[in-house]
Amino acid sequence: MIECLLTGANGTMESVETPSPGCWVNVVAPSSEERAWLEGELGVLPEFVRSALDEEETSRIDYDDDAHQIFVIVDYPVVDEEGTGVRASLPLQYDTMPLTMVFLPEKSLFVTISIRENEVVRDLKDGRVRGVDTRYRTRFLLQMLLHISQLYLVYLRRIDRLSSNTEARLHASVRNEELIQMLKLEKSLVYFSTSLKSDEVTLNKIMQGRIIPLYEDDQDLLEDVLVEIHQAIEMANIYAGTLSGTMDAFASIISNNLNIVMKVLSVITIVMAIPNIIFGFYGMNVDLPFDGVPLLDNWAFPLLLAAAGCLVAAWIFKRKGMWH
């Protein structure tokens, strides 16, 4: 999908038929024909388009001296597909995806390329970000980066709340679903932390002003973006450490519960074995205790069974600490 957007006189985002100076060209999951249009009509370098559509591409900034094009790619947070829609009952996981921004100075265009629909582009199109003007490309880039950093903070707070709710359910009952959810959240935090650090490196390169010229207002906005990114990195590290400690604690609890169960089963096995031993004695063709003794001859078996039961009960009560 390709759409051309331009900031109107009243400050709202308006759709236009063809790209014009000061226009924002938004490209989402382009087909082969749309990729050819990007490279042929707009003149976006083919290597930039290939990098933009690579899910594993890391955040970076690049500049082509011949074409005079600036290439910026950053990672933004997303909710994994298996946690939404018809599969919403499955454990939730967060991930990151690349968002590419290309400056075309010769045509005064700003191009964004993303692999799928995302909240960042949708919020900018719908006017949820104030003060956006597509004609000021550098400021538009920084506003997009600021919105991405704020989304990281929102998603990190969601992860923290979801982790707390899952932990509360685990206190009541240790089930596989909750454990899988905790593992997915821990993996999400690893993704966030890695992407945030690479985004920070890209922002530091932008701040140097060698590739993208920055004005005084742009410097202030970029500093705000860096503050948000640093806060998100700190939050991701704290939540990851807390979640890792929680997972280790629950692993110890599960191991301890297993040991208790094994002790109980061992006691039951011993108790069940004692009557079998006595029955085995009486099944042998040998003299048994109290044979031929008056009054005890008919009561020997019950008395031996009662004595064995008393011995087992005394041993259990003596070691009753193993039941707690």
Side-chain angles (χ1 to χ4, degrees):
M1 180 193 72
I2 297 178
E3 54 184 342
C4 301
L5 301 164
L6 183 66
T7 303
N10 56 356
T12 60
M13 202 73 69
E14 300 176 356
S15 179
V16 295
E17 292 292 333
T18 57
S20 58
C23 182
W24 168 29
V25 181
N26 177 39
V27 182
V28 178
S31 61
S32 56
E33 293 80 8
E34 291 171 337
R35 291 180 59 178
W37 182 84
L38 273 176
E39 299 171 8
E41 294 294 328
L42 291 188
V44 180
L45 294 176
E47 55 267 28
F48 286 173
V49 176
R50 285 194 299 269
S51 298
L53 300 177
D54 183 4
E55 291 188 13
E56 304 301 325
E57 191 71 29
T58 58
S59 177
R60 61 188 177 90
I61 182 172
D62 196 4
Y63 176 71
D64 188 271
D65 294 324
D66 298 329
H68 304 291
Q69 294 182 12
I70 301 173
F71 173 86
V72 180
I73 183 169
V74 294
D75 291 329
Y76 65 92
V78 295
V79 180
D80 196 30
E81 289 294 339
E82 70 178 49
T84 59
V86 296
R87 306 180 67 187
S89 59
L90 294 176
L92 188 64
Q93 180 173 326
Y94 293 86
D95 204 343
T96 58
M97 295 290 289
L99 175 63
T100 301
M101 292 149 280
V102 182
F103 285 75
L104 302 177
E106 295 181 353
K107 297 185 178 181
S108 298
L109 295 177
F110 183 85
V111 182
T112 58
I113 305 174
S114 51
I115 299 174
R116 68 183 189 186
E117 285 280 355
N118 59 84
E119 191 173 353
V120 178
V121 172
R122 187 165 55 248
D123 289 347
L124 288 167
K125 288 194 306 181
D126 297 342
R128 296 192 181 97
V129 181
R130 292 182 297 177
V132 172
D133 195 330
T134 58
R135 294 169 294 182
Y136 301 103
R137 296 187 298 274
T138 301
R139 188 168 185 83
F140 186 46
L141 165 69
L142 296 177
Q143 288 172 324
M144 189 172 290
L145 294 176
L146 179 61
H147 191 55
I148 290 174
S149 63
Q150 291 170 345
L151 276 180
Y152 271 114
L153 294 175
V154 172
Y155 281 21
L156 283 168
R157 293 187 183 98
R158 290 181 186 176
I159 289 175
D160 184 47
R161 289 196 299 269
L162 184 57
S163 174
S164 299
N165 294 336
T166 306
E167 183 180 348
R169 293 198 301 270
L170 276 172
H171 281 297
S173 174
V174 180
R175 298 184 301 177
N176 290 338
E177 290 79 3
E178 280 76 16
L179 291 174
I180 293 173
Q181 177 68 88
M182 297 287 275
L183 287 172
K184 285 182 175 290
L185 293 179
E186 191 173 20
K187 187 187 297 184
S188 301
L189 290 172
V190 172
Y191 292 155
F192 276 19
S193 180
T194 303
S195 297
L196 283 167
K197 290 176 182 177
S198 61
D199 286 352
E200 183 187 20
V201 173
T202 302
L203 288 170
N204 287 329
K205 291 182 179 179
I206 294 175
M207 194 168 190
Q208 295 173 3
R210 292 185 302 193
I211 298 178
I212 301 177
L214 298 174
Y215 301 98
E216 185 176 351
D217 293 341
D218 297 335
Q219 288 279 2
D220 295 337
L221 184 56
L222 182 55
E223 289 176 1
D224 293 340
V225 178
L226 282 170
V227 169
E228 298 285 342
I229 287 291
H230 291 157
Q231 183 180 352
I233 292 174
E234 190 68 23
M235 287 176 61
N237 291 334
I238 292 173
Y239 293 161
T242 304
L243 192 57
S244 178
T246 302
M247 291 295 294
D248 292 340
F250 277 112
S252 300
I253 292 173
I254 293 172
S255 178
N256 186 52
N257 291 340
L258 179 61
N259 291 335
I260 293 174
V261 171
M262 294 304 297
K263 287 181 181 179
V264 173
L265 291 176
S266 298
V267 171
I268 294 175
T269 302
I270 294 172
V271 172
M272 295 298 294
I274 292 175
N276 290 331
I277 295 173
I278 297 174
F279 295 153
F281 281 145
Y282 275 86
M284 297 179 184
N285 191 17
V286 295
D287 292 336
L288 296 174
F290 308 112
D291 276 353
V293 178
L295 299 178
L296 295 179
D297 193 13
N298 295 329
W299 295 93
F301 178 75
L303 288 174
L304 285 173
L305 192 62
C310 291
L311 289 174
V312 172
W315 180 78
I316 291 175
F317 280 112
K318 184 179 180 181
R319 296 182 55 87
K320 62 182 179 179
M322 69 185 298
W323 296 92
H324 299 287

